[in-house]
Amino acid sequence: MDYIKRIRELREDNDYTQREVAVLLNVGQRTYADYEYGKTRIPLESMIKLAKFYKVDMNYICGVSDVRVPFPNNKGK
C-alpha cells in the first residue's frame, strides 16, 4: 500500500473530511483531494504533519510498514 491509499485510509478511519484535513495542512480541499488521487505529490512537510496528527510513524504513513507505531516524540532532545 502506498501513501496515497494510506492517507485516505487514515482520514476515513478517523472520520475526517477532506476539507478538515486540508485546513490542517493549509491547502484547499481540491489540493488535498489531488493528494489522495495521486494527481499531486504531497510535500514532505505535509506528510510529517499528517503523521503527527494521526499519531503514526512515517514508515506507516508512507506505506513502508503496516505496523501503526506512534510518531516519535523527541521532546527534550
Side-chain angles (χ1 to χ4, degrees):
M1 177 180 278
D2 59 8
Y3 80 89
I4 295 166
K5 293 176 186 171
R6 190 60 52 94
I7 62 172
R8 182 177 183 162
E9 174 187 274
L10 284 165
R11 179 182 59 77
E12 290 175 345
D13 287 352
N14 287 280
D15 296 321
Y16 290 110
T17 65
Q18 286 183 341
R19 183 173 182 78
E20 290 170 320
V21 178
V23 168
L24 169 78
L25 299 179
N26 291 323
V27 298
Q29 184 273 328
R30 181 73 248 160
T31 299
Y32 182 77
D34 287 346
Y35 295 161
E36 284 192 2
Y37 292 121
K39 293 181 180 180
T40 303
R41 284 186 186 245
I42 185 168
L44 179 60
E45 300 82 25
S46 294
M47 291 285 279
I48 293 169
K49 278 185 183 180
L50 290 175
K52 287 180 178 180
F53 179 68
Y54 293 123
K55 297 180 176 105
V56 295
D57 184 272
M58 286 292 290
N59 287 327
Y60 180 79
I61 204 165
C62 292
V64 174
S65 171
D66 290 331
V67 179
R68 286 190 185 198
V69 176
F71 192 89
N73 184 354
N74 293 327
K75 290 184 180 179
K77 288 189 177 181

